[in-house]
């Protein structure tokens, strides 16, 4: 597995792992921090067949602005025949996704290697369900 750092910012880091872009989010993802991350995700999802993993393991809080940002990224990827997976562990983030009815919308994994190795069209709640 080849990794190369693409860019970093205060709330997220992007890196390429093989042909997949991994976006690691950190801290609180809210109405203040979601817009710049959303802009980054818009750039990454503007291409056909984008392959993204959004790692939420270091996220301590996410509100509706953060969920909206993730849904927008997912919708843009699907429109362009790409793929988006989430890595999320712990009850805090999983409870928010479930409460919003999004755990069945996203492919959710509890470990990054599993998300990277997952076969397209696999179980939507593979490891975190």
């Amino acid at each position: 597995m080849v990794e190369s750092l693409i860019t970093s910012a205060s709330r997220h880091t992007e890196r390429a792992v093989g042909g997949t872009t991994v976006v690691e989010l950190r801290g609180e993802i809210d109405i203040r921090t979601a817009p710049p991350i959303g802009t980054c995700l818009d750039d990454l999802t503007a291409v056909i067949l984008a392959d993204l993993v959004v790692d939420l393991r270091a996220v301590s809080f996410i509100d509706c602005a953060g969920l909206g940002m993730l849904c927008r990224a997912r919708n843009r990827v699907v429109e362009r025949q790409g793929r988006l997976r989430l890595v999320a562990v712990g009850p805090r983030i999983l409870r928010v996704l479930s409460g919003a009815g999004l755990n069945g919308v996203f492919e959710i994994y509890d470990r990054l290697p599993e998300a990277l190795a997952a076969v397209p069209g696999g179980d939507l709640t593979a490891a975190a369900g």
Side-chain angles (χ1 to χ4, degrees), residues 37-127:
I37 297 168
T39 299
C40 164
L41 291 176
D42 280 352
D43 291 344
L44 293 171
T45 59
V47 299
I48 301 294
L49 300 173
D51 188 18
L52 276 121
V53 171
V54 178
D55 188 345
L56 302 171
R57 291 176 297 171
V59 170
S60 58
F61 172 83
I62 190 165
D63 71 1
C64 60
L67 293 177
M69 170 199 69
L70 291 175
C71 288
R72 176 177 166 83
R74 182 213 171 262
N75 292 342
R76 288 172 54 88
V77 165
V78 168
E79 287 172 2
R80 293 165 179 85
Q81 294 78 48
R83 190 164 177 223
L84 182 133
R85 279 109 53 220
L86 301 180
V87 179
V89 294
R92 192 173 317 144
I93 301 301
L94 293 173
R95 189 176 310 126
V96 171
L97 289 168
S98 179
L102 296 173
N103 55 337
V105 172
F106 291 97
E107 289 181 63
I108 303 172
Y109 298 88
D110 61 1
R111 296 184 54 228
L112 182 59
E114 292 168 353
L116 290 168
V119 176
D123 184 1
L124 291 178
T125 56

